[in-house]
Amino acid sequence: MEYISTRNKSEKCSSAEAIVNGLAPDGGLYVPESLPRLKKEDFEELAKEDYPSRAARVLSLLLEDFTFEELLDYTTKAYSRFYGDDPCPLVNIDEGVYVLELWHGPTCAFKDMALTMLPHLLTAARKKIGEKDKTLIMVATSGDTGKAALEGFKDVEGTNIIVFYPSKGVSDMQKLQMKTQTGDNVCVCAIEGNFDDTQNAVKNIFADEEINKVIHANGFKLSSANSINWGRLAPQIAYYVSAYCDLIDEGRIEYGDKVNFCVPSGNFGNILAAYYAMQMGVGVNRLICASNVNHVLTDFFETGVYDINREFHKTISPSMDILISSNLERLLFEICGRDDKLIAQRMSDLKTKGRYEITERELEMLKALFSVGYADDEETKETIAFAMDEYGYLMDTHTAVAYGVYCDYEDETEDKTPTVVVSTANAYKFPADVYEAVGGEKIEDAFTATEKLHEVTGEEVPEPLNGLKDRPVRFEEVIDRSKIADKVVEYCKQAANA
Ligand SMILES: *Cc1c(COP(=O)(O)O)cnc(C)c1O
């Protein structure tokens, strides 16, 4: 099975090339030419296996350049870095409502599910296609991707990684996690501006031939660890398949039954993986896309107009403070009948006018599968308090956006389909806001908030967040976004001479 670009489907490449390139040469995103389908027997087999085996089986269908044994080696290594017995437990909090906890990894956010895998995939893929250059991973992050990528790639041979984050757009805990990052092949830099500014500046570097020449002259080739890389998306499909297997295995549903997935969305990568899992055979009733007040996705699914000409809000769910949801391009490609020219046109409109519009027919197709909703900060805090009071379940601000949107959905539709609410971060990643939500006073300092939150809830502080306070700060630089290119070139030169 080959991969094609959403903006030019006659350009084909292998899974290994798609992973190494990150973005297609025409600026489009790689998608599989066709999706493999899992049958009843496959689900029954998978249900008996542990997570690394399930993930390796799913990945072996998607990444044909890799053998099952290779993939099992990577999944075993990657998920051994997670704490607890199950890397992604499914917790039953209420009748027919399950929380899929994706944050048991090294940085306590769901991005670990893919970013502990990507370095293995990328390193192997480079060998497979005979790539001689070293890889420079460049990441724009709204908080969680950056740290998860740094943890995943630190000290991985043949790679260096440089991470840019908006200086005022991430939580204190996230910031400190990045500033204290260890590893000899890492660089972290803050940017004045919001996430979209940062992401755009980084995208422009990927597209800039001159800068790429300079980077190449220093022995590097740029690659992305952002969720546009297929090597990020593929491991995410696995946990939707796995959650479905868990429900079958526990006798909650039978094979073929449909479930809802409710996903807190930003760049649209996580929920897109649910869509692909559905295409591969997971029974899905509704995909519920949850946003915070930056609800460009909610509006899009309601009106068919994607419009970023609006105010940008900083919220208590910062990893969802995004106006340009890059992965939506992949869904649009499928919905419009894979019309690559049309996608190229719309993405060009998005760039120049900040908006595009889909047809009535496309909108109907989207509405047949997706439900949408958003929650503001106040509602999000109320949801955290409600879940704690009602079920003794402590959730983070992002998960609470999803759970709040699900509660509204259920009220409105009375849909009793079993629902998996996707939990994307541990509550201690956002301790001040969560502490306030459960009735505590406002506390600025993340560490004091962590202690207090532990006192009132009794919830364990996860190991990776414990002890962060005592780690030395290594990266303090804040630069203007116009200086990002200079910074990349400077780091390349430095890394080439190291
Ligand atoms: C990245 C992130 C999201 C958004 O996921 P997308 O794949 O970008 O839609 C939600 N919650 C948390 C905690 C995240 O880190």
Side-chain angles (χ1 to χ4, degrees):
M1 182 186 64
E2 296 196 284
Y3 284 78
I4 54 178
S5 162
T6 49
R7 299 189 198 174
N8 180 2
K9 62 187 173 194
S10 57
E11 281 280 346
K12 293 185 186 176
C13 73
S14 67
S15 58
E17 285 169 307
I19 292 170
V20 172
N21 294 348
L23 207 62
D26 51 46
L29 308 188
Y30 289 113
V31 292
E33 204 178 11
S34 63
L35 277 167
R37 219 164 147 95
L38 293 159
K39 292 189 277 304
K40 184 170 189 235
E41 307 81 75
D42 299 319
F43 280 102
E44 284 165 356
E45 277 300 307
L46 285 171
K48 292 186 211 130
E49 296 180 352
D50 64 4
Y51 190 73
S53 312
R54 286 179 183 174
R57 293 231 181 263
V58 172
L59 287 169
S60 67
L61 298 173
L62 292 164
L63 309 173
E64 288 185 346
D65 295 327
F66 300 79
T67 64
F68 171 73
E69 287 70 27
E70 276 177 285
L71 292 163
L72 184 61
D73 177 39
Y74 308 152
T75 54
T76 305
K77 282 182 183 144
Y79 299 118
S80 71
R81 296 187 62 195
F82 284 53
Y83 59 92
D85 339 313
D86 185 349
C88 46
L90 191 63
V91 181
N92 184 205
I93 61 165
D94 187 16
E95 169 102 43
V97 183
Y98 305 85
V99 177
L100 178 61
E101 295 182 348
L102 299 177
W103 39 257
H104 292 252
T107 78
C108 303
F110 98 95
K111 303 208 168 53
D112 292 328
M113 294 299 299
L115 280 164
T116 51
M117 274 299 289
L118 184 63
H120 295 291
L121 294 174
L122 189 67
T123 317
R126 284 179 53 224
K127 286 206 187 108
K128 286 179 196 293
I129 64 172
E131 176 83 52
K132 301 260 180 339
D133 294 321
K134 298 215 285 174
T135 304
L136 178 64
I137 301 287
M138 184 167 61
V139 179
T141 184
S142 58
D144 292 326
T145 304
K147 178 61 186 180
L150 288 161
E151 275 302 317
F153 280 96
K154 79 169 175 199
D155 298 328
V156 170
E157 239 191 75
T159 60
N160 280 74
I161 171 165
I162 184 163
V163 170
F164 296 103
Y165 67 91
S167 68
K168 296 193 180 65
V170 303
S171 83
D172 290 347
M173 203 60 113
Q174 290 175 318
K175 207 180 271 190
L176 202 64
Q177 278 187 311
M178 286 190 278
K179 286 161 91 171
T180 57
Q181 179 64 42
T182 57
D184 290 335
N185 62 338
V186 305
C187 179
V188 176
C189 185
I191 304 299
E192 318 219 31
N194 64 32
F195 174 65
D196 286 316
D197 296 335
T198 310
Q199 174 158 268
N200 276 334
V202 163
K203 272 191 185 159
N204 288 339
I205 295 181
F206 276 109
D208 188 321
E209 275 182 39
E210 283 309 308
I211 300 173
N212 277 282
K213 270 188 203 151
V214 179
I215 290 170
H216 198 223
N218 284 286
F220 284 100
K221 205 177 150 189
L222 275 183
S223 192
S224 152
N226 276 95
S227 63
I228 48 174
N229 191 311
W230 183 256
R232 279 280 302 276
L233 265 172
Q236 296 182 355
I237 298 171
Y239 54 71
Y240 286 101
V241 173
S242 176
Y244 193 67
C245 289
D246 281 343
L247 289 170
I248 295 173
D249 194 37
E250 290 167 15
R252 312 277 193 179
I253 60 166
E254 282 178 29
Y255 168 78
D257 287 351
K258 291 186 171 181
V259 299
N260 299 325
F261 288 105
C262 181
V263 188
S265 299
N267 233 339
F268 207 72
N270 200 354
I271 193 165
L272 183 73
Y275 172 80
Y276 285 128
M278 182 189 84
Q279 306 285 332
M280 288 179 72
V282 170
V284 172
N285 176 45
R286 309 289 302 171
L287 295 177
I288 307 170
C289 175
S291 302
N292 64 25
V293 286
N294 295 297
H295 51 79
V296 67
L297 285 167
T298 316
D299 295 349
F300 172 67
F301 280 95
E302 275 168 0
T303 65
V305 179
Y306 196 94
D307 193 344
I308 63 164
N309 300 302
R310 60 177 73 208
E311 204 184 325
F312 175 85
H313 301 277
K314 279 180 42 152
T315 72
I316 59 172
S317 44
S319 301
M320 298 159 69
D321 290 348
I322 290 174
L323 293 181
I324 301 174
S325 303
S326 308
N327 267 303
L328 188 62
E329 179 170 346
R330 288 184 160 113
L331 177 65
L332 294 178
F333 181 70
E334 302 303 334
I335 293 296
C336 75
R338 300 196 150 192
D339 185 340
D340 49 359
K341 305 256 167 357
L342 183 64
I343 295 295
Q345 181 56 49
R346 285 181 183 159
M347 293 306 130
S348 151
D349 287 349
L350 183 63
K351 198 162 181 181
T352 53
K353 303 182 198 121
R355 88 190 278 288
Y356 62 82
E357 193 169 343
I358 60 171
T359 64
E360 274 300 322
R361 201 184 121 70
E362 288 168 290
L363 184 58
E364 265 170 41
M365 286 175 70
L366 289 180
K367 284 187 172 172
L369 176 62
F370 288 87
S371 293
V372 288
Y374 71 92
D376 65 20
D377 284 355
E378 224 26 70
E379 288 161 327
T380 303
K381 286 185 188 166
E382 282 165 20
T383 306
I384 293 173
F386 171 78
M388 194 66 213
D389 287 349
E390 197 74 13
Y391 310 116
Y393 189 84
L394 184 65
M395 51 178 65
D396 94 295
T397 48
H398 303 76
T399 309
V401 167
Y403 185 53
V405 166
Y406 169 68
C407 292
D408 291 346
Y409 166 85
E410 211 247 45
D411 277 350
E412 242 166 66
T413 60
E414 294 183 17
D415 175 11
K416 297 292 177 213
T417 307
T419 297
V420 175
V421 175
V422 175
S423 177
T424 49
N426 179 279
Y428 286 102
K429 261 202 119 156
F430 307 93
D433 293 315
V434 175
Y435 178 62
E436 236 187 285
V438 296
E441 69 278 15
K442 202 175 178 63
I443 295 176
E444 291 296 336
D445 176 57
F447 296 107
T448 317
T450 299
E451 281 167 27
K452 294 264 190 178
L453 186 58
H454 175 68
E455 264 170 45
V456 300
T457 63
E459 269 317 301
E460 285 303 319
V461 182
E463 199 271 323
L465 297 177
N466 243 334
L468 196 56
K469 190 156 75 170
D470 306 319
R471 267 169 237 162
V473 168
R474 294 182 65 203
F475 303 99
E476 296 217 76
E477 201 174 358
V478 186
I479 63 173
D480 190 83
R481 73 184 136 141
S482 62
K483 297 284 187 317
I484 294 189
D486 296 345
K487 179 72 194 172
V488 173
V489 170
E490 178 199 309
Y491 180 62
C492 259
K493 290 187 174 149
Q494 184 196 322
N497 294 324

